[in-house]
């Protein structure tokens, strides 16, 4: 993948104009435990900091340039592989590299940032003079990888906007998206990450499980954030359609997982016998169906019921989530698939609900549809995948 040339001054100004980038770098420091985080433009000749969060008075500023050959980001540029070091003194690959001594760090991460068209921009880079055990947690790294993809989406969209309107610096169409991104980054991610960071690192498996569970939840939330931005910027969800087997078994496993979360409800299924394989993105399908089941179950009273029903008709595969007990305002169904921003209260910060919005995009990505209906007191979500049997 080639790099796309750009003016350094333009890159710095561009990233500085995006409030969400500053918020994202704050979250990077919170989740990683590292004191300095930066978005760096990395070319074959130069390493330049374009946006910086510096919590340890290291002195790095936007526009600062480091010797390219002295940085591990140069390796990331050439290999396109992330570099993650929780403690350089214990890392056999990099313990003798000159960079730690030159810049005074013991923990480090550098994740490549690509535009959606595949061109390389630079890196999401962070470091600290102390070891950072959190970098050994897989959910933490999954979250940071998602942030790097999100940066590439934001960067490309702003570049495209400026090419279309060279003199403009304010895009009214992007104002709601900017506000939603700030809620996602500062409320949905930064606040819980700060609470997580304030805890002592667990020393036993029993203590580690709640910490890891929260880290997994935040990793999932960061992935949803990146998906949301891709869709809002017109790129759609990245789907990997393939012939997959055992779809019914995976759906039943999903029901069992949700049944454990809603033990006072009855979750059942009526699934038809399927061909040996269906053509779809199974993880995305499970994401969408899980979101529908959870949304309906959360609106069921104790003792309520849910049914997951499958149907094959005229070479079209459909799944329906049905409830006769869910309490739903019929007038709200027309807006149920839109991103919903909750109001902040004294107990709860504002939150952007994305699950059904992304579920509908999963359906569209499969060339299908997702609709909500309420008929004869019954709530029904109908997910149609017309190409699954091809």
């Amino acid at each position: 993948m080639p790099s796309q040339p750009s003016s350094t001054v333009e890159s710095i100004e561009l990233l500085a104009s995006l409030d969400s980038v500053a918020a994202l770098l704050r979250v990077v420091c919170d989740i990683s435990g590292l004191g300095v985080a930066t978005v760096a433009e990395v070319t074959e000749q130069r390493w330049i900091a374009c946006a910086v969060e510096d919590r340890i008075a290291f002195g790095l500023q936007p526009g600062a340039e480091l010797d390219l050959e002295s940085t591990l980001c140069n390796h990331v540029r050439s290999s396109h592989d992330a570099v993650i070091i929780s403690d350089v003194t214990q890392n056999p690959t990099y313990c003798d590299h000159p960079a730690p001594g030159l810049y005074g760090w013991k923990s480090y991460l550098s994740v490549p940032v690509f535009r959606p068209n595949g061109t390389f921009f630079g890196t999401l880079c962070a470091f600290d003079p102390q070891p950072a055990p959190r970098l050994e947690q897989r959910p933490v790294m999954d979250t940071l990888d998602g942030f790097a993809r999100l940066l590439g989406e934001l960067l490309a969209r702003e570049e495209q906007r400026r090419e279309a309107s060279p003199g403009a610096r304010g895009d009214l169409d992007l104002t709601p998206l900017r506000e939603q991104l700030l809620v996602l980054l500062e409320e949905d991610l930064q606040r819980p990450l700060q609470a997580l960071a304030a805890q002592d690192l667990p020393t036993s498996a029993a203590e580690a499980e709640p910490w890891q569970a929260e880290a997994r939840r935040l990793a999932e939330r960061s992935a949803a954030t990146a998906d949301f931005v891709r869709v809002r910027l017109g790129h759609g969800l990245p789907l990997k359609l393939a012939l997959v087997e055992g779809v019914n078994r995976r759906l039943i496993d999903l029901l069992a997982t949700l049944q454990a979360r809603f033990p006072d409800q009855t979750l059942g299924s009526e699934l038809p016998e399927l061909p040996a394989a269906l053509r779809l993105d199974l993880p995305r399908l499970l994401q969408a169906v899980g979101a529908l089941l959870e949304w309906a179950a959360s609106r069921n009273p104790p003792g309520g019921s849910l049914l997951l029903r499958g149907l094959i008709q005229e070479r079209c595969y459909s799944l329906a989530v049905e409830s006769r007990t869910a309490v739903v305002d019929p007038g709200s169904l027309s807006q149920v698939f839109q991103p919903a921003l909750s109001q902040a209260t004294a107990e709860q910060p504002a939150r952007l609900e994305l699950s059904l919005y992304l579920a509908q995009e999963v359906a569209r990505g499969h060339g299908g549809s997702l609709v909500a209906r309420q008929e004869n007191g019954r709530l029904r979500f109908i997910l149609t995948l017309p190409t699954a049997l091809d």
Side-chain angles (χ1 to χ4, degrees):
M1 297 178 188
S3 297
Q4 178 172 304
S6 64
S7 161
T8 298
V9 173
E10 288 180 359
S11 296
I12 295 170
E13 194 275 330
L14 184 153
L15 289 169
S17 72
L18 298 173
D19 295 339
S20 50
V21 172
L24 187 146
L25 289 179
R26 292 195 293 270
V27 179
V28 168
C29 287
D30 286 335
I31 191 174
S32 67
L34 303 177
V36 180
T38 181
V39 181
E41 184 174 24
V42 184
T43 69
E44 294 180 358
Q45 294 81 32
R46 306 177 73 183
W47 184 105
I48 298 139
C50 295
V52 178
E53 171 75 3
D54 184 354
R55 298 184 173 183
I56 58 174
F58 180 81
L60 190 66
Q61 298 288 334
E65 183 170 351
L66 302 182
D67 176 64
L68 178 66
E69 296 301 325
S70 71
T71 69
L72 296 184
C73 292
N74 192 37
H75 168 75
V76 175
R77 179 194 61 79
S78 60
S79 70
H80 294 170
D81 294 327
V83 174
I84 309 298
I85 303 172
S86 60
D87 185 347
V88 73
T89 63
Q90 305 298 317
N91 189 294
T93 303
Y94 295 104
C95 61
D96 294 326
H97 195 280
L102 181 63
Y103 298 114
W105 53 256
K106 289 186 178 178
S107 51
Y108 174 91
L109 68 88
S110 181
V111 184
V113 175
F114 298 99
R115 299 174 179 87
N117 66 3
T119 56
F120 178 81
F121 172 79
T123 62
L124 172 61
C125 177
F127 54 88
D128 195 272
Q130 299 300 322
R134 288 183 211 155
L135 296 184
E136 299 174 6
Q137 297 284 340
R138 184 70 251 175
V140 171
M141 289 316 307
D142 288 344
T143 298
L144 295 171
D145 183 63
F147 285 176
R149 294 195 300 271
L150 175 58
L151 279 168
E153 300 281 350
L154 293 171
L155 176 72
R157 172 61 181 180
E158 185 65 6
E159 287 174 335
Q160 292 167 2
R161 185 188 68 78
R162 293 186 178 201
E163 288 177 3
S165 305
R169 286 296 179 267
D171 188 343
L172 294 179
D173 292 337
L174 289 181
T175 298
L177 176 58
R178 289 179 179 134
E179 294 173 351
Q180 291 165 340
L181 276 176
L182 289 175
V183 169
L184 284 167
L185 292 170
E186 294 183 339
E187 304 294 347
D188 284 359
L189 291 172
Q190 187 174 5
R191 288 179 184 272
L193 284 168
Q194 286 173 338
L196 200 62
Q199 301 175 15
D200 293 330
L201 285 173
T203 58
S204 68
E207 293 176 344
E209 178 53 34
W211 195 95
Q212 291 173 339
E214 180 67 359
R216 284 193 296 269
R217 188 192 70 79
L218 290 168
E220 292 170 358
R221 190 61 176 166
S222 74
T225 301
D227 285 343
F228 169 67
V229 172
R230 289 188 188 100
V231 174
R232 287 296 308 274
L233 298 185
H235 301 300
L237 289 184
L239 299 183
K240 297 180 180 178
L241 300 181
L243 289 174
V244 295
E245 300 177 352
V247 173
N248 279 350
R249 175 178 53 81
R250 295 293 300 275
L251 290 170
I252 291 172
D253 289 345
L254 175 63
L255 276 172
T257 299
L258 285 166
Q259 181 69 79
R261 291 185 53 196
F262 298 93
D264 59 349
Q265 298 186 30
T266 301
L267 277 63
S269 64
E270 293 180 3
L271 301 175
E273 183 176 349
L274 296 175
L278 297 181
R279 184 176 179 273
L280 45 78
D281 186 325
L282 184 56
R284 288 292 191 182
L285 174 65
L286 295 174
Q287 172 191 344
V289 175
L292 300 175
L293 287 165
E294 184 171 353
W295 192 92
S298 67
R299 286 155 179 80
N300 269 345
S305 63
L306 273 179
L307 177 66
L308 176 62
R309 187 193 303 273
L311 179 66
I312 296 178
Q313 189 174 24
E314 297 181 356
R315 298 291 299 170
C316 187
Y317 176 54
S318 297
L319 286 166
V321 173
E322 303 179 358
S323 173
R324 294 185 180 275
T325 53
V327 180
V328 180
D329 176 11
S332 68
L333 286 182
S334 63
Q335 299 296 317
V336 75
F337 296 114
Q338 296 303 311
L341 185 61
S342 67
Q343 294 296 318
T345 67
E347 294 77 23
Q348 294 289 337
R351 176 180 171 83
L352 190 64
E353 176 53 51
L354 299 174
S355 61
L356 296 193
Y357 175 78
L358 295 177
Q360 190 172 61
E361 292 301 322
V362 169
R364 289 172 176 167
H366 284 84
S369 64
L370 174 60
V371 297
R373 297 174 181 168
Q374 192 161 27
E375 302 168 335
N376 301 320
R378 179 176 60 177
L379 170 69
R380 298 184 74 210
F381 287 109
I382 305 171
L383 172 63
T384 303
L385 306 176
T387 62
L389 298 176
D390 290 350

